[in-house]
Amino acid sequence: MTILLAGCGDLGTEAGLRFHALGHRVVGWRRSPAKLPSAIEGVAADLSAPGLPPVPADTTAVVIAVAADSPSEEAYRASYVDGPINVLDALERDGVQPGRVLFVSSTAVYGDAAGGWVDEGTPAVPGGFSGRVLLEAEELIQARFRGTATTATSLRLGGIYGPGRTRLIDQVRNGSAVIPEDVRYTNRIHRDDAAAAIVHLATMAPRPDATYVGVDNDPADLGTVLRFLATEIGLAEPPAGDAGPARGGNKRCGNGLLLSTGFAFTYPTFREGYRAVLAGTGVRHP
């Protein structure tokens, strides 16, 4: 197979290395292709601008894995709406019809569920601009391929942590971590499992569904996670108090549909994942 990675940062690069390890040709579009490892054929491309490079004629799967330059609605639209539109226009321009297009989205599309469970069957009601923009991107991609031979899939990832993604660890270490006074559920996935899920959905024999929730098996209360990290690091438990607005909304995301495809997690809960991070396992790709 020939895989086109439209957006090739840390997550895309990790996925690309895994595609390559399976024997696939991998082409990566990003602004600074010289940073990519040799296993990925880097091509200079600004996805937010029209006129993207030629699409390899034998492309069998496209993974759109972009990231906003800043936490503003304008930046989100440039990355998550303009970017996919330009990629899809390039496919149409070059007459390339891949079997699959996978868009890396976020559980932010669900907003807040007051601690309740959500999954692929839950209506997406975003609570902020990030979720609204991502949902708009999902819908426009689905619309472009409806009635064609291309299967479009959105992978809604929880909060990604892993090598170099140590926000909670840093907060515990520097003393800024606060355990919320109320129970606040959080959803996450290790970078390596997120990359593995991308590869799995892009290459598995059955056609994937339109949407998958990409989170680990434990939508843990934030206080539980912070206490665990403090114990692992050997520090006192963070104080309880006003932790501010819930990051990502208070909800528990179910991963049953992803598991039903035969996908298996290397880090099924935050415990295994954070222990690997604290042990220095893996590297963050530039």
Side-chain angles (χ1 to χ4, degrees):
M1 295 173 62
T2 294
I3 311 294
L4 173 60
L5 298 174
C8 211
D10 177 46
L11 177 59
T13 298
E14 180 63 27
L17 292 173
R18 291 166 182 260
F19 279 121
H20 177 77
L22 293 175
H24 304 304
R25 177 194 178 197
V26 185
V27 177
W29 284 356
R30 63 177 285 174
R31 292 172 183 164
S32 49
K35 295 180 179 179
L36 292 173
S38 59
I40 300 174
E41 299 175 27
V43 178
D46 179 357
L47 300 184
S48 65
L52 291 174
V55 179
D58 61 346
T59 297
T60 46
V62 177
V63 175
I64 303 175
V66 294
D69 292 335
S70 67
S72 68
E73 183 167 1
E74 181 181 19
Y76 265 69
R77 293 196 66 83
S79 293
Y80 292 106
V81 175
D82 297 344
I85 287 174
N86 291 331
V87 172
L88 303 188
D89 286 349
L91 290 171
E92 185 175 336
R93 175 200 66 200
D94 296 341
V96 178
Q97 294 183 311
R100 296 177 189 180
V101 171
L102 189 147
F103 174 64
V104 178
S105 185
S106 165
T107 56
V109 300
Y110 293 112
D112 189 282
W117 285 91
V118 301
D119 61 17
E120 294 82 1
T122 305
V125 184
F129 74 81
S130 61
R132 290 195 299 270
V133 170
L134 285 160
L135 185 60
E136 179 182 344
E138 289 187 16
E139 292 172 344
L140 73 85
I141 293 171
Q142 288 291 333
R144 285 285 286 265
F145 292 110
R146 191 168 292 125
T148 74
T150 299
T151 299
T153 297
S154 295
L155 176 60
R156 295 171 173 171
L157 296 177
I160 303 174
Y161 71 103
R165 299 173 183 256
T166 57
R167 180 179 58 87
L168 288 184
I169 293 173
D170 296 340
Q171 289 179 359
V172 171
R173 280 184 166 147
N174 66 29
S176 64
V178 176
I179 294 177
E181 294 174 335
D182 55 337
V183 174
R184 185 174 298 176
Y185 291 104
T186 56
N187 303 269
R188 60 184 52 78
I189 186 168
H190 192 283
R191 190 271 322 261
D192 291 0
D193 282 327
I198 290 171
V199 174
H200 176 73
L201 294 174
T203 60
M204 68 182 190
R207 282 182 175 267
D209 287 357
T211 308
Y212 290 89
V213 172
V215 297
D216 68 19
N217 298 338
D218 190 357
D221 168 53
L222 179 57
T224 300
V225 179
L226 293 174
R227 292 185 186 97
F228 169 82
L229 290 174
T231 298
E232 291 292 308
I233 297 170
L235 296 174
E237 178 180 306
D242 181 4
R247 183 183 175 97
N250 183 17
K251 56 181 175 281
R252 286 176 281 179
C253 298
N255 63 6
L257 185 60
L258 180 60
L259 291 176
S260 74
T261 66
F263 181 77
F265 285 86
T266 299
Y267 305 107
T269 79
F270 69 89
R271 296 171 183 85
E272 298 88 356
Y274 275 121
R275 281 178 178 140
V277 174
L278 290 170
T281 303
V283 296
R284 182 163 184 171
H285 305 294

